Amino acid sequence: MQATAIAQPNIALIKYWGKRDVDRNLPAVGSISITLSELYTQVTVELSGDLASDELIVNGEESQSMLPRISRCLDSLIGDTRARARVTSHSNFPIAAGLASSASAFAATTVAAAGAANLSYDTEALARLAGLASGSAARSFYGGIVELKNTGDTISLTSLSERDVWPLQVVVAITETAPKATGSTAAMEISRETSPFYSSWIERQDQDLDVARAAILRRDFRGLAAVAEHNCLKMHSVMWASRPPMMYWNSATMRCMQTVRRLQAEGCNVFFTIDAGPQVKAVCLPADTERVSEALVATPGVRKIMTSVLGPAARLVLQT
Ligand code: 2P0
């Protein structure tokens, strides 16, 4: 009754920000993301009648804060009369810092839990269950480039490009490794309740999704770059105009954006995107990755870079 799964985090190019239904964790907007290969979370779920309660170990340390979300995720998948679980998670990148660790963690947990309980769900059904726990986790069930559609009562997922079809690369510039002060779930609700820009953000999302989808299908890098940066900055404008304001950037975040702007002016195929944290993800074409990496590593305030190609879908790696 034990299984191990690996999932990669995904980075949204057209962002999910805001919920239509908090109880069912349904997003208010669709989103498009890329799954990264070099970053991963590995999760083992052990179901045992000998355990008195669920246990969660994250990177070698017991975690109480995430345990209720993990327990709810297991209940929705296996049922609330299930055996208790020991869940052990390891990520090779900073967690809760705007690098989509909840996406990879909940995708891997869902796959491992289904494996441990010997349940067979199809990919979309599993993705929906993971999405109940973390909206972005549903996208890590697909490799390459994926679209999550907000279809009324539920979500649906479509692969827009397999990972080898349009081999985009990503240079992640890590400017801070400490966990963020406000988690995405709470921050989205603050935006919905207080930001004067929230309704126009929601209204215009379908337009951005259409433009990005079309650019991806014709592999138009500049077209995708323009709409992705626009969508990212709109999402941050919603956050900045919230009360209290949510400002996830630091000075190095801004400097990285300026580095990307300079590279673009020099003819580099690169664009930035930033999530609920201070890290900058520079998406580029393979021919420009080295130049982008060198420029970002030399940007003051950057602590580390991680370079990645597009990654595979969440998967089971061991079942006993
Ligand atoms: C995204 N983010 O589309 C956006 C951009 C952060 C900024 O999805 O509340 O941690 O658990 O559904 O999955 C963060 O999403 O939020 C997120 P919940 P989650 O990637």
Side-chain angles (χ1 to χ4, degrees), residues 7-11 16-17 19 25 39-43 58 66 69-70 73 89-91 93-111 127 129-141 180 183-186 188 275-276 281 314:
Q8 264 68 23
N10 66 75
I11 301 298
Y16 149 47
W17 195 254
K19 295 175 198 290
N25 203 34
L39 285 68
Y40 67 84
T41 301
Q42 177 168 319
V43 174
V58 177
M66 285 296 280
R69 266 176 94 179
I70 291 283
C73 175
S89 166
H90 172 77
S91 296
F93 60 97
I95 59 174
L99 285 169
S101 57
S102 71
S104 52
F106 281 104
T109 301
T110 305
V111 174
L129 286 164
L132 285 175
S134 162
S136 57
R139 301 185 308 232
S140 282
F141 281 78
K180 55 194 165 197
S184 299
T185 307
M188 284 186 207
D275 294 291
K281 293 94 182 191

Side-chain angles (χ1 to χ4, degrees), residues 34 47 67 119 158 219 310:
I34 50 180
L47 294 169
L67 186 58
L119 298 169
T158 315
R219 288 180 232 163
L310 298 192

Side-chain angles (χ1 to χ4, degrees), residues 134-278:
S134 162
S136 57
R139 301 185 308 232
S140 282
F141 281 78
Y142 295 77
I145 311 181
V146 63
E147 178 168 4
L148 183 154
K149 286 194 175 127
N150 163 18
T151 53
D153 217 28
T154 182
I155 56 166
S156 72
L157 293 125
T158 315
S159 168
L160 293 182
S161 178
E162 296 295 334
R163 56 196 292 225
D164 301 326
V165 174
W166 198 22
L168 300 176
Q169 299 198 358
V170 183
V171 181
V172 180
I174 297 173
T175 66
E176 176 60 65
T177 52
K180 55 194 165 197
T182 314
S184 299
T185 307
M188 284 186 207
E189 278 303 281
I190 294 171
S191 289
R192 185 178 65 78
E193 286 163 4
T194 67
S195 179
F197 301 156
Y198 185 79
S199 55
S200 53
W201 157 255
I202 303 290
E203 275 160 29
R204 284 159 199 249
Q205 183 79 344
D206 281 350
Q207 207 174 312
D208 288 358
L209 287 165
D210 290 345
V211 172
R213 190 185 313 109
I216 289 162
L217 296 179
R218 60 173 194 274
R219 288 180 232 163
D220 168 7
F221 189 86
R222 299 274 159 100
L224 180 60
V227 70
E229 287 190 353
H230 174 65
N231 188 266
C232 164
L233 293 173
K234 262 196 308 194
M235 179 187 76
H236 285 277
S237 304
V238 171
M239 296 174 181
W240 284 32
S242 299
R243 290 191 160 183
M246 263 98 43
M247 293 180 286
Y248 286 107
W249 302 357
N250 58 32
S251 54
T253 313
M254 195 69 210
R255 280 192 217 105
C256 288
M257 293 162 76
Q258 287 166 335
T259 297
V260 170
R261 278 281 179 271
R262 175 174 57 76
L263 290 166
Q264 288 170 336
E266 292 167 7
C268 236
N269 282 302
V270 61
F271 66 86
F272 62 75
T273 189
I274 303 157
D275 294 291

